[in-house]
Amino acid sequence: MFKAPQAGVGLTGPTGDPGVPTYTATLNRFEVKYLVPTRTIPELTADLAEFTVPDPHAGAEGYGVFTVYWDSPDWAFFWEKIEGLKYRRKLRFRRYLGGEPKVFIEIKQREDRTLQKRRLEWPLAQVLETFTPGATGDWDRVSEDPVATEVLLMIHRLRLAPRMAILYRRRALFGAFDPELRLTFDSRLQYSAADLDIARPWDTGKSIMDPRVSVLEVKYNHRAPVWLTKLARSRELNVVRMSKFCTAVDKEFFGHQLT
């Protein structure tokens, strides 16, 4: 059975529903991205084999990731990224497909180069009952959970609603000697600005980029290992500042002029 990957340390606490745990995580990390030819992923994976181990919960082809991003009517989170603000946030609801119907609700926050993430892991039914676009929210349900309260406050104060859905196939590796190191290859990136129901992942959307190109993301806590920087140099991989969410929004609404 596929189990969604866990990042950081989970903290259990009340959710408002007896017997249903919530999991929150606060994580301070660095993240770098590279664009790589999709056909080279097997070669890159082989190069990395000495230093990494495959995600034990995913098969050879990886797993689907379906994410619904929330934003304000004037695209506040989108413009924070486009304008390069050193402090910025975004709110996303994510499902790892092929397993149990759980949803990860994440406040992803960047302060300069450091990434922080606060996360809930809730059953899909509970998410649908608690976070309904346009509703005032069930404050009693979230009152004892600080992350859930923060999410509901963001939705209420900024008038957030689902604005963009993104689907892709992910293959993940973990550091063999550093368990906090994580490398992911994201392929077949697609989006939809119309089908935004986290309960109903779709199969086919519009392409974010040429499917012959994939995104390699590297996440680490302190500094990138020397072997990784040497590999990037030998493969002539260049760091890119790329957001799946912003690229999709730009393509759909701004003629792909901003990213």
Side-chain angles (χ1 to χ4, degrees), residues 201-220:
W202 30 265
D203 294 323
T204 304
K206 300 178 182 179
S207 293
I208 293 179
M209 61 176 59
D210 189 323
R212 293 173 294 184
V213 178
S214 295
V215 179
L216 166 59
E217 294 188 12
V218 182
K219 301 178 180 71
Y220 54 93

Side-chain angles (χ1 to χ4, degrees), residues 138-162:
D138 187 342
W139 294 98
D140 290 336
R141 183 183 292 270
V142 305
S143 62
E144 297 183 44
D145 189 307
V147 178
T149 300
E150 183 180 2
V151 170
L152 203 54
L153 282 170
M154 288 175 64
I155 292 173
H156 181 69
R157 290 176 175 174
L158 301 175
R159 295 186 295 144
L160 304 182

Side-chain angles (χ1 to χ4, degrees), residues 8 20 23 37 47-48 84 104 114 120 133 148 150 163 200 217 222 235 244:
V20 179
Y23 301 87
D47 289 344
L48 294 165
F104 290 84
T114 306
L120 302 171
E150 183 180 2
R163 303 299 302 274
R200 294 183 173 86
E217 294 188 12
H222 303 290
R235 284 279 182 171
K244 301 179 184 76

Side-chain angles (χ1 to χ4, degrees), residues 70-78 80 87-91 107 139 150-163:
W70 291 48
D71 209 334
S72 66
D74 58 355
W75 294 104
F77 297 157
F78 169 77
E80 286 176 0
Y87 173 83
R88 56 185 184 267
R89 293 181 298 172
K90 59 186 173 185
L91 174 64
I107 301 172
W139 294 98
E150 183 180 2
V151 170
L152 203 54
L153 282 170
M154 288 175 64
I155 292 173
H156 181 69
R157 290 176 175 174
L158 301 175
R159 295 186 295 144
L160 304 182
R163 303 299 302 274

Side-chain angles (χ1 to χ4, degrees), residues 17-149:
D17 283 355
V20 179
T22 184
Y23 301 87
T24 67
T26 301
L27 193 61
N28 296 293
R29 312 197 77 183
F30 296 95
E31 178 182 286
V32 295
K33 298 178 182 178
Y34 307 92
L35 297 182
V36 301
T38 302
R39 60 177 174 76
T40 67
I41 291 178
E43 300 172 16
L44 288 167
T45 303
D47 289 344
L48 294 165
E50 182 180 354
F51 308 100
T52 63
V53 294
D55 183 338
H57 303 298
E61 295 301 315
Y63 48 86
V65 181
F66 181 68
T67 308
V68 177
Y69 290 84
W70 291 48
D71 209 334
S72 66
D74 58 355
W75 294 104
F77 297 157
F78 169 77
W79 287 111
E80 286 176 0
K81 168 65 174 177
I82 294 298
E83 294 170 1
L85 299 189
K86 288 189 175 182
Y87 173 83
R88 56 185 184 267
R89 293 181 298 172
K90 59 186 173 185
L91 174 64
R92 67 190 187 190
F93 287 58
R94 171 167 289 181
R95 292 180 62 187
Y96 296 95
L97 306 182
E100 298 178 29
K102 294 181 179 179
V103 179
F104 290 84
I105 307 167
E106 299 176 342
I107 301 172
K108 193 173 181 181
Q109 176 176 301
R110 182 177 289 276
E111 293 188 30
D112 202 1
R113 294 181 61 245
T114 306
L115 190 68
Q116 290 110 28
K117 186 187 296 182
R118 293 181 294 286
R119 166 187 273 190
L120 302 171
E121 179 188 345
W122 278 10
L124 175 61
Q126 185 180 356
V127 171
L128 299 178
E129 292 169 0
T130 308
F131 300 106
T132 303
T136 57
D138 187 342
W139 294 98
D140 290 336
R141 183 183 292 270
V142 305
S143 62
E144 297 183 44
D145 189 307
V147 178
T149 300

